[in-house]
Amino acid sequence: MARRALKLASWTSMAFAASGFYLYSNKYLDPNDFGAVRVGRAVATTAAISYDYLTSLRRVPYGSEEYAQVRSEVHLRSARRLCELCCANRGTFIKVGQHLAALDYLLPQEYTSTLKVLHSQAPKSSMQEIPDLFVSFDDTPMGAASLAQVHKAVLHDGRTVAVKVQHPKVQMQSSKDILLMEVLVLAVKQLFPEFEFMWLVDEAKKNLPLELDFLNEGRNAEKVAQMLKHFDFLKVPQIYWELSTKRVLLMEFLDGGQVNDRDYMERNKIDVNEISRHLGKIYSEMIFVNGFVHCDPHPGNVLVRKGPDTGKVEIVLLDHGLYQMLTEEFRLDYCNLWQSLIWTDMEKVKKYCHRLGAGDFYPLLACMLTARSWNSVNRGISQAPVTATENTEIRNNAATYLPQISQLLNRVPRQMLLIFKTNDLLRGIEATLGTRASASSFLNMSRCCVRALATHNKKNTYSYFRRTQISFSETFSLWQISFHELILRAKALRLASWVLALLCWLLPAPH
């Protein structure tokens, strides 16, 4: 009996050893792909972060300088733990981490700055088989993201294409990852009732299946290209439908430098102000006029270049997996709110913030949308650009008012959440280019708001006289905006001439 038990133990040991060796040596199997490992890691990280907040802040007087210092340290430790979890579990976790990193003016800086590395630490998958479709296929991806990676290839007919390939296990793991996140967020809410982060899980649950369907991405690309065809400076890659599937997308190859690469722009003599104006026009048209919004404009998805045929500046918009379709009611309320913010009509700011679900948090919503202080909102956001001091104040307030921000995000319409992300990504680009919050960008937004509201009003009236009246009012409002812009330019030219005269007086030419 003992001999039989010893024999069984020997065979069992050999089986475990062989299995372990196979898993270790097989490059296509990764322990990180096992559910138990991923769940255990996520639970352990959540527990460590929760314990840190509960114990570190308990004995420190709330509102004191020491409290602010300790809170910042806990934020940073927790952000690093969260970042490590996202990098280890990959896929959906990296996607959600990137979403959080984009909320620059809504979450504490310790989180957004730490999680930003996830944009450059997306996993890369090895290409095991290269179809006979290509004459050449570059194994090294041009870019890797949380859900897919892109390769450059050449077809037999000579066309150079970009091939977007989904990571092998993302589809299988995504639904389980979202369920795990939902359970963990509910558990954290039991410990910290004031924090409402279910909106993040709801967004992932709704958007991830759409992003994993590359045919849906292709349809979005074609729709936005048709919708904005009047912008000759916008380029959207053509989709090759006959060669695409749900997990592989073939499209026209368009090159360029990333929109935050100032060195590239200087080398190619591209004006950063022109790029900023073009981006403002594209997104104002998407949000206010059409209500169909590309919601992932991080620098890797927005390229700039000089057109090979025309030599004019062009913007190349990539990655069309994540779009937000705005309802007409939301779009019009949002138009009216921005018009009120731009022209400092505080009664209407309060009215339309209430209509968008903010309630008593309407000053917070106004500040979150504009990324300006409440004092600046009251003075007029188009009156003066944001200063470094104000920018620091806004970032500090994101930490101070985090419970209120999380509650507000849980209140507002779900459409607003991706708009917040889009706004913050665009502000990040403007900050890099040094063009943030210029008066001209607000005026372009105002033009789109006027057009959108006039189109809606004309569509909903059957009176010829009333339609004529609306058209006249629209024309007059657009003329007012243009006249205001002309005055601003004249002031800028006058200021420039004064500065030049002062320099000539201080530094007279040598005789």
Side-chain angles (χ1 to χ4, degrees), residues 300-321:
N301 291 339
V302 184
L303 307 182
V304 296
R305 66 178 193 171
K306 286 283 185 76
D309 300 322
T310 62
K312 293 181 179 178
V313 170
E314 293 177 347
I315 290 179
V316 179
L317 197 58
L318 305 174
D319 195 349
H320 299 270

Side-chain angles (χ1 to χ4, degrees), residues 212-431:
L212 290 170
D213 181 359
F214 289 175
L215 295 180
N216 176 65
E217 178 176 342
R219 289 190 290 271
N220 287 342
E222 287 198 339
K223 181 174 178 177
V224 81
Q226 178 65 24
M227 189 175 84
L228 302 179
K229 63 183 179 182
H230 54 286
F231 290 147
D232 58 358
F233 55 81
L234 175 64
K235 300 297 173 189
V236 176
Q238 179 187 350
I239 305 299
Y240 300 129
W241 289 108
E242 70 279 9
L243 304 172
S244 298
T245 68
K246 280 193 168 189
R247 292 190 62 244
V248 179
L249 187 67
L250 264 75
M251 63 199 110
E252 176 188 8
F253 177 78
L254 296 174
D255 59 354
Q258 288 194 4
V259 71
N260 62 346
D261 188 346
R262 294 197 65 155
D263 291 339
Y264 174 89
M265 293 191 210
E266 286 174 13
R267 286 197 307 273
N268 290 274
K269 296 181 172 58
I270 294 173
D271 181 8
V272 294
N273 291 299
E274 187 177 3
I275 293 296
S276 189
R277 281 195 302 274
H278 286 343
L279 264 180
K281 287 178 182 177
I282 290 168
Y283 273 88
S284 292
E285 194 87 10
M286 283 183 185
I287 294 170
F288 300 115
V289 178
N290 296 287
F292 186 65
V293 190
H294 180 288
C295 289
D296 203 11
H298 70 76
N301 291 339
V302 184
L303 307 182
V304 296
R305 66 178 193 171
K306 286 283 185 76
D309 300 322
T310 62
K312 293 181 179 178
V313 170
E314 293 177 347
I315 290 179
V316 179
L317 197 58
L318 305 174
D319 195 349
H320 299 270
L322 184 59
Y323 271 75
Q324 180 67 68
M325 190 74 192
L326 308 180
T327 63
E328 187 167 28
E329 181 185 7
F330 176 89
R331 181 174 62 85
L332 295 171
D333 284 341
Y334 194 67
C335 275
N336 278 307
L337 175 55
W338 266 106
Q339 278 286 77
S340 307
L341 286 165
I342 290 167
W343 300 108
T344 326
D345 186 338
M346 299 311 293
E347 279 302 313
K348 285 189 176 178
V349 167
K350 182 176 180 179
K351 172 186 173 181
Y352 288 105
C353 281
H354 274 275
R355 283 180 63 89
L356 289 167
D360 293 338
F361 289 146
Y362 76 91
L364 185 58
L365 178 59
C367 294
M368 287 163 64
L369 279 176
T370 57
R372 302 296 296 269
S373 68
W374 183 237
N375 285 336
S376 292
V377 171
N378 276 285
R379 284 197 305 267
I381 55 174
S382 59
Q383 298 304 309
V386 65
T387 62
T389 305
E390 185 182 1
N391 205 37
T392 304
E393 179 190 344
I394 294 162
R395 291 183 179 280
N396 290 338
N397 285 343
T400 305
Y401 295 106
L402 184 57
Q404 292 87 343
I405 289 171
S406 66
Q407 288 175 47
L408 179 60
L409 292 175
N410 220 43
R411 278 189 191 184
V412 295
R414 287 289 173 261
Q415 301 160 81
M416 182 72 86
L417 300 177
L418 284 178
I419 295 292
F420 277 134
K421 176 191 173 186
T422 305
N423 284 349
D424 278 359
L425 284 168
L426 291 171
R427 282 190 196 105
I429 291 171
E430 288 178 340

Side-chain angles (χ1 to χ4, degrees), residues 481-497:
I481 294 169
S482 297
F483 183 67
H484 186 65
E485 189 172 34
L486 186 65
I487 291 171
L488 288 175
R489 286 182 180 174
K491 284 181 178 177
L493 286 171
R494 189 187 304 168
L495 179 62
S497 65

Side-chain angles (χ1 to χ4, degrees), residues 28-38 41 88-90 169 172-173:
Y28 301 124
L29 287 176
D30 185 342
N32 288 318
D33 295 328
F34 291 107
V37 174
R38 298 167 67 79
R41 187 186 289 125
N89 277 11
R90 300 172 300 190
K169 292 157 187 162
M172 177 182 66
Q173 293 169 345

